[in-house]
Amino acid sequence: MTLGLALAQSRRIAPALLAQLEQSAREKKTQLIDEIIGSGTMSAHDVAVFAADKYQLPLLDLSEYNLSRVPSALSGNREFHAHRLLPLGRRENRLIVAMSDPANQAGVDVIRQKFSLPVETVVVEHDKLMKHVRSAGEALGTLKNALPTPTAQKMIEYDPVAAASARKVPGANDIDDAPVVRFLQKLLTEAFHRGASDLHFEPFEFFYRIRFRVDGVLQEVARPPLDIRDKIATRIKVLSRLDISEKRVPQDGRMKLLISMPKDKDGKETVDKAIDFRVSTLPTLFGEKIVMRILDSSSDKLDIDQLGYEPQQKALLQEVIKRPYGMVLVTGPTGSGKTVSLYTFLNMLNQGDINISTAEDPAEIQLPGINQVNVNDKAGLTFAAALKSFLRQDPDVIMVGEIRDLETADISIKAAQTGHLVLSTLHTNDAPTTLTRLMNMGVAPFNIASSVLLITAQRLARRLCTCKREGDLAPQVLIDAGFQESDLDGTWKPYHPVGCDRCSGSGYKGRCGIYQVMPITETIQQIILSHGTALQIAEQARKEGVLSLREAGLLKVKQGVTSLEEVLATTNT
């Protein structure tokens, strides 16, 4: 359907007037959109908003977009300007192109065939588009048409749709795509600046709720109109390359967003930072619930001193990961920081003379120098299949995102027994139960005892803000929590949360790790070989000086890092 016909059917232009405009366009050898806007029938902005809504495309305000970001490999190509198209950049393997008449797909088809890339279009106002097209055509002069080879100039991977500022039609009553784009952009940016780990988009029968998880606690941040739940879901699915027509089954995807960060303390200069989001959709009674996990792939935080291990625990870990072979396991619930711990270990091992391979679902942190593989169960690339391939790739260190089944566990343990250091995770409550979990999966006790070097269990507790204050608690309360009478010597007092502007009144800012680091000693190996229980292993570990999670948490309370309430909420006795 042409743009003119769509306008007529929507009663934006009378059929008789449309016929006159079409006749005038033919006589002047111009396009219909030129006549519609040139005659004053509709403004360029009204046409753009209508076209974006009619053809379900994002609306972009060119005046808010920095065209200097566009590489000359695209902006210097005559093919775009000949078809009244404006290149905006490249996002992964797609070209982003601006146009004012989405019904005219001939030019898009030419660009798609010329560059052998999918083309993603956005709608812009016609007058602003033609201004840039004319100025670009004049500047081209006698420059070459052809797109340089990738080796000559690398295109900038940038998402202009997500980063652009969009506008709403003044006086419009219906919620269109432009405000949804702007609203979602604002949400994602705000979530990152608040330090959120997850965003929850939750539809219910009578309201729509959006929550951030900040420092492990969900906080409601918005209740937009219920009408826009499907548009938000569609927008997120488009950016995550998910099937927007499929709403009956869960889907998983990934998207990237550029966030402007202050370059200096004054905040006068900013720099764009690429942030990855892992997206999960789930059909519910009243629409699709979407959870987005923020994956900050920065390696700045991969420092063992920042994780919060006690000196003795840190020394044990550093000793074990330097061994040439064996297995180190990290255990804990989802969201307890296992991935950061594993990558901290890998960062310490990442040297030029070591070959490191990882299999993950998906890779959350990107480290140069490490060969990372995303598993794909549908394609047959499971953890077990990746492990088998790794063993033919001359590895020194192997990291498996999670041991989920006996096959993966069996291959991992055999790799640890044959000269490789293997790092992985399991979902168990503490270190002793990890060993019995492996036995319950079907792994022979001999293989466990001969391969596992160390297990670390962990939790994340909220860290007290600088506004904390000392307070008194009844001695019996401290003893019931797990403190010994010898600890109550009067040299320290527990801190309590207060609340200030820095922590938004919660009294907490950031999180700290609570760890149980259990090396597999000869005595524990004997318990494993005799099919001992988790209770027997835990008792022996306590005799050897291994702190339980509760004891490690109480130590953080004594140090003033967190509160007793946080430790009681995140650990068991």
Side-chain angles (χ1 to χ4, degrees):
M1 182 185 298
T2 64
L3 180 62
L5 183 58
L7 288 167
Q9 289 184 350
S10 302
R11 298 183 180 179
R12 299 294 183 93
I13 296 180
L17 177 58
L18 175 63
Q20 294 177 9
L21 294 172
E22 290 176 337
Q23 178 63 28
S24 176
R26 284 192 293 270
E27 293 174 355
K28 296 179 181 179
K29 296 182 179 180
T30 59
Q31 293 188 9
L32 177 61
I33 192 171
D34 295 310
E35 294 302 311
I36 292 174
I37 296 170
S39 65
T41 304
M42 290 180 69
S43 69
H45 179 64
D46 289 343
V47 172
V49 172
F50 172 82
D53 182 65
K54 178 66 178 178
Y55 296 95
Q56 293 295 297
L57 293 172
L59 176 63
L60 177 70
D61 185 355
L62 277 179
S63 62
E64 300 291 336
Y65 181 66
N66 185 6
L67 286 171
S68 64
R69 294 180 178 276
V70 182
S72 58
L74 293 178
S75 62
N77 192 280
R78 294 180 183 274
E79 204 73 59
F80 289 97
H81 313 117
H83 295 280
R84 294 184 164 192
L85 300 174
L86 188 66
L88 299 179
R90 177 177 174 177
R91 183 179 65 191
E92 296 183 353
N93 66 332
R94 292 175 179 267
L95 289 178
I96 313 299
V97 176
M99 62 191 313
S100 57
D101 183 0
N104 184 12
Q105 289 292 311
V108 176
D109 293 337
V110 170
I111 296 298
R112 185 183 296 113
Q113 293 175 6
K114 181 175 181 61
F115 299 125
S116 300
L117 288 172
V119 176
E120 185 175 328
T121 57
V122 300
V123 176
V124 297
E125 296 166 56
H126 185 68
D127 54 350
K128 295 179 182 178
L129 172 71
M130 294 309 297
K131 177 182 177 182
H132 287 291
V133 167
R134 282 192 293 268
S135 61
E138 293 170 0
L140 278 176
T142 58
L143 292 178
K144 296 172 66 175
N145 292 353
L147 179 70
T149 61
T151 55
Q153 179 164 350
K154 182 180 179 181
M155 292 186 182
I156 298 174
E157 294 189 2
Y158 178 70
D159 183 0
V161 180
S165 171
R167 297 183 296 175
K168 186 178 179 181
V169 186
N173 294 320
D174 296 333
I175 296 174
D176 56 28
D177 286 345
V180 169
V181 171
R182 182 174 56 187
F183 176 65
L184 182 60
Q185 169 78 11
K186 182 179 179 181
L187 272 175
L188 299 181
T189 303
E190 181 68 17
F192 177 76
H193 287 303
R194 285 198 195 182
S197 60
D198 303 88
L199 295 86
H200 293 243
F201 298 81
E202 301 168 309
F204 298 96
E205 185 175 6
F206 300 112
F207 66 94
Y208 186 53
R209 180 175 68 183
I210 299 174
R211 296 189 289 175
F212 294 168
R213 186 178 293 278
V214 181
D215 294 337
V217 179
L218 282 171
Q219 304 172 359
E220 184 173 330
V221 296
R223 285 204 179 192
L226 190 61
D227 299 344
I228 71 170
R229 58 184 175 185
D230 291 334
K231 289 192 174 185
I232 288 180
T234 299
R235 178 66 183 163
I236 294 173
K237 290 166 76 174
V238 167
L239 293 175
S240 307
R241 294 180 292 281
L242 300 178
D243 185 355
I244 61 174
S245 64
E246 182 57 77
K247 301 181 180 180
R248 300 166 298 174
V249 297
Q251 297 187 68
D252 295 303
R254 192 162 178 158
M255 60 174 282
K256 181 174 289 187
L257 181 72
L258 288 180
I259 302 288
S260 293
M261 300 288 294
K263 191 174 182 180
D264 49 23
K265 294 182 180 180
D266 298 333
K268 295 181 179 179
E269 294 186 31
T270 60
V271 60
D272 289 334
K273 181 176 182 180
I275 303 297
D276 288 322
F277 294 82
R278 189 176 67 196
V279 179
S280 173
T281 70
L282 179 70
T284 67
L285 290 175
F286 304 106
E288 287 183 287
K289 176 184 177 182
I290 298 178
V291 176
M292 302 177 68
R293 167 68 58 86
I294 298 178
L295 308 175
D296 185 0
S297 60
S298 172
S299 60
D300 297 340
K301 58 188 177 182
L302 301 179
D303 184 352
I304 193 168
D305 292 323
Q306 297 181 15
L307 296 185
Y309 285 100
E310 300 301 327
Q312 183 183 5
Q313 296 174 335
K314 175 183 170 182
L316 281 171
L317 281 167
Q318 289 176 324
E319 177 190 352
V320 168
I321 64 172
K322 290 179 181 178
R323 297 190 186 180
Y325 58 88
M327 177 180 285
V328 176
L329 296 173
V330 180
T331 182
T334 301
S336 60
K338 299 188 299 294
T339 301
V340 174
S341 294
L342 282 177
Y343 267 94
T344 300
F345 305 156
L346 291 179
N347 197 37
M348 296 166 64
L349 294 168
N350 190 13
Q351 306 294 331
D353 58 347
I354 295 179
N355 180 20
I356 303 176
S357 296
T358 72
E360 303 162 81
D361 186 20
E364 296 186 9
I365 299 175
Q366 299 171 12
L367 275 184
I370 292 180
N371 306 291
Q372 298 173 270
V373 174
N374 280 335
V375 300
N376 187 339
D377 292 335
K378 293 181 180 179
L381 182 57
T382 61
F383 280 119
L387 272 171
K388 290 177 181 178
S389 179
F390 287 169
L391 295 176
R392 295 189 290 270
Q393 293 277 320
D394 185 30
D396 297 302
V397 179
I398 296 172
M399 194 270 270
V400 185
E402 181 184 349
I403 295 178
R404 298 176 178 173
D405 50 51
L406 176 59
E407 184 181 12
T408 305
D410 190 49
I411 299 172
S412 300
I413 284 176
K414 287 180 179 177
Q417 291 172 331
T418 55
H420 308 93
L421 181 64
V422 179
L423 310 178
S424 189
T425 70
L426 275 173
H427 285 86
T428 56
N429 289 326
D430 57 19
T433 55
T434 304
L435 296 170
T436 55
R437 169 73 185 281
L438 288 172
M439 287 189 276
N440 291 337
M441 288 174 65
V443 181
F446 170 79
N447 287 331
I448 298 173
S450 62
S451 60
V452 180
L453 301 175
L454 180 141
I455 301 172
T456 173
Q458 63 185 69
R459 298 289 188 277
L460 289 178
R462 288 185 295 172
R463 184 185 295 272
L464 284 167
C465 180
T466 52
C467 62
K468 63 185 178 181
R469 62 173 174 83
E470 285 186 339
D472 292 317
L473 286 175
Q476 191 58 45
V477 173
L478 295 173
I479 291 174
D480 291 343
F483 283 104
Q484 302 298 318
E485 290 187 6
S486 58
D487 295 323
L488 310 182
D489 53 9
T491 59
W492 64 277
K493 287 185 179 181
Y495 281 88
H496 298 277
V498 177
C500 64
D501 292 339
R502 183 174 181 270
C503 60
S504 302
S506 68
Y508 298 95
K509 185 70 174 176
R511 290 195 281 179
C512 63
I514 298 174
Y515 303 96
Q516 178 187 31
V517 179
M518 187 180 77
I520 308 303
T521 61
E522 291 184 5
T523 308
I524 293 179
Q525 287 178 338
Q526 292 298 325
I527 297 175
I528 297 171
L529 291 172
S530 61
H531 297 267
T533 64
L535 289 175
Q536 291 174 310
I537 296 171
E539 182 62 30
Q540 180 58 36
R542 187 173 290 107
K543 291 179 182 178
E544 296 176 358
V546 175
L547 296 176
S548 67
L549 284 168
R550 171 60 62 83
E551 291 168 341
L554 294 178
L555 195 55
K556 299 292 185 187
V557 174
K558 197 172 180 180
Q559 295 167 353
V561 176
T562 189
S563 66
L564 182 62
E565 294 83 1
E566 273 296 294
V567 171
L568 295 178
T570 55
T571 64
N572 291 327
T573 54

